Amino acid sequence: MFLLMQEYIFMKRCFSLARLGAGRTSPNPMVGAVLAYEGRIIGEGFHRAYGEAHAEVNAVNSVAPENQGLLPYSTLYVSLEPCNIYGKTPPCTSLILEKKIPRVIVSCLDHTPGVNGAGIERLRAAGVDVSVGLLEAEGQALSRPRNTFVSAHRPYVILKFAQSANGMFAPPDGRQLWLSNAFSKRLVHKWRSEIDAILVGGNTARIDNPQLTNRHWFGKMPVRIVLSRSGKLPPGLALFGPEAPTLLVSELPPGRALKNSAGWLPLPFNDGLIGSLLGELARRNITTLFVEGGIRTLELFLESGYWDEARVFVTGTHLYPGRPAPQIPVEPKSGFRLGSDQLLVFENRR
Ligand code: AOF
Ligand code: ZN
């Protein structure tokens, strides 16, 4: 019992470490690792940024010189299956074998082709005692964007919007009305620092004129994407500003709208639009996509089935009359309060 508790605590620590890499590891996953000797942590690490050392390498390197001799008697905890391939860095399985670490506890598998269980097999074949599945749901939640990207060849899609206490999205004329509170706004900007791209429809770009930047948190800005069949958007829109790159997706050539650093992605606006768009974004190494509105765009994603998560702020404000918010076809999985707002999180489990 005590041992199990300790294993939980060490794996939880891996998850916390992994999250420190949020926003910098894409298209790699966030990964954390802990090395423990007789119930004491002697090393820990996380994947800090894409192209840099993996969590396991940082954990091994963090062990003090006088403790390096303990590695052949220690347990490695890691939030994701150790990699077994030469990517930007050598395989972590080789490091584990070279350091003679006898026991490895993994939360979930890495679905990357060439890994996907082969990392575990290689370690076991060499006599390492490996167990998989500790706090697996939490480990999978951390790795889901990466695993979706490598197995479905598309970004992990998160729908995000706010609705009034009575389920309205906007006033009848579609004009923007800020519904959620300042805590929610700050949280949304934090999320923006952790994702690769953020998408809105052309009507929202025109009517609300959003910047879609991260202004209230640290870190990076996502790529901005705007969907407009005609491509005829005013070039002065805020999302064409210089703060972050923008990709205009349209069927017809955009002409004047395409100024500054904006790129153009031509796509047929037919029933297959969302599927082909996501494929194109994956080719550009976009592994997580936020869809922020408007109603029609959110519904397009819901109808296509290409959504993984929805984060909906239900605010204290009443709006009447109004345009009803998109309906998420599943029950919320979790929720919590941010002052007068309530955040509901939905998952699309296929
Ligand atoms: C790990 N530990 O901390 C991370 C892993 O191109 P590379 O060298 O970064 O390697 C890509 C592979 O490593 C790929 O399978 C990816 O899912 C995994 N990421 N693996 O053992 C880590 N970040
Ligand atoms: Zn690795």
Side-chain angles (χ1 to χ4, degrees):
M1 179 63 198
F2 175 68
L3 212 61
L4 199 63
M5 183 83 158
Q6 202 171 63
E7 290 187 348
Y8 277 29
I9 291 168
F10 290 159
M11 189 55 83
K12 285 267 185 192
R13 176 71 187 146
C14 291
F15 297 153
S16 303
L17 288 161
R19 285 187 198 103
L20 296 174
R24 294 195 299 272
T25 63
S26 174
N28 250 341
M30 294 178 274
V31 184
V34 159
L35 278 158
Y37 170 74
E38 291 191 345
R40 179 168 62 90
I41 292 183
I42 59 166
E44 52 181 38
F46 63 99
H47 184 44
R48 286 176 176 275
Y50 177 64
E52 294 186 10
H54 284 185
E56 298 91 319
V57 176
N58 287 331
V60 165
N61 290 342
S62 79
V63 175
E66 66 273 21
N67 284 337
Q68 287 283 340
L70 299 178
L71 287 176
Y73 310 96
S74 299
T75 301
L76 172 71
Y77 292 81
V78 56
S79 63
L80 185 75
E81 172 184 8
C83 70
N84 191 38
I85 49 173
Y86 279 89
K88 292 258 173 205
T89 62
C92 290
T93 48
S94 301
L95 175 75
I96 294 166
L97 298 179
E98 179 200 319
K99 297 290 172 185
K100 301 190 167 44
I101 298 170
R103 190 154 182 258
V104 177
I105 299 183
V106 170
S107 177
C108 73
L109 293 188
D110 176 352
H111 293 180
T112 304
V115 190
N116 209 10
I120 309 285
E121 267 172 41
R122 179 178 180 205
L123 294 174
R124 281 190 179 143
V128 180
D129 172 10
V130 188
S131 64
V132 185
L134 181 61
L135 297 171
E136 195 169 19
E138 201 174 337
Q140 276 172 346
L142 263 179
S143 310
R144 202 169 293 133
R146 165 72 185 189
N147 280 340
T148 303
F149 177 70
V150 290
S151 50
H153 309 289
R154 64 167 180 84
Y156 182 80
V157 175
I158 302 168
L159 312 179
K160 189 239 98 186
F161 59 91
Q163 65 185 46
S164 69
N166 59 328
M168 298 297 165
F169 187 86
D173 59 6
R175 151 183 65 92
Q176 182 187 36
L177 194 74
W178 198 267
L179 295 169
S180 48
N181 66 30
F183 299 115
S184 304
K185 186 168 192 168
R186 174 71 60 102
L187 180 60
V188 167
H189 282 235
K190 178 173 186 282
W191 289 340
R192 286 180 179 174
S193 78
E194 296 173 353
I195 52 143
D196 295 333
I198 179 168
L199 177 144
V200 293
N203 279 336
T204 298
R206 234 180 258 115
I207 298 167
D208 296 353
N209 197 18
Q211 296 178 57
L212 305 180
T213 54
N214 161 25
R215 305 180 294 288
H216 301 297
W217 200 256
F218 318 90
K220 70 163 191 204
M221 305 258 185
V223 172
R224 300 172 291 187
I225 300 168
V226 55
L227 279 189
S228 159
R229 182 194 289 266
S230 71
K232 288 194 176 53
L233 292 172
L237 288 180
L239 57 69
F240 290 120
E243 303 82 8
T246 299
L247 187 64
L248 170 58
V249 183
S250 70
E251 193 165 82
L252 305 173
R256 255 180 3 111
L258 205 69
K259 60 167 223 174
N260 301 332
S261 58
W264 179 43
L265 173 58
L267 281 181
F269 275 48
N270 55 24
D271 289 349
L273 172 64
I274 302 300
S276 38
L277 169 66
L278 294 177
E280 285 296 333
L281 298 183
R283 269 187 278 288
R284 290 163 162 80
N285 263 354
I286 288 174
T287 62
T288 40
L289 175 71
F290 253 57
V291 179
E292 294 215 4
I295 299 180
R296 191 60 212 124
T297 304
L298 288 161
E299 282 173 351
L300 261 182
F301 278 83
L302 283 164
E303 285 158 15
S304 74
Y306 288 122
W307 67 280
D308 299 289
E309 207 177 300
R311 301 181 187 172
V312 180
F313 291 99
V314 181
T315 69
T317 333
H318 274 261
L319 189 63
Y320 192 82
R323 299 173 67 203
Q327 293 292 308
I328 310 292
V330 293
E331 291 299 310
K333 182 163 176 281
S334 58
F336 64 91
R337 240 178 206 290
L338 291 107
S340 52
D341 292 351
Q342 190 187 17
L343 172 65
L344 297 179
V345 179
F346 302 77
E347 269 179 22
N348 186 16
R349 279 298 164 87
R350 284 166 300 268

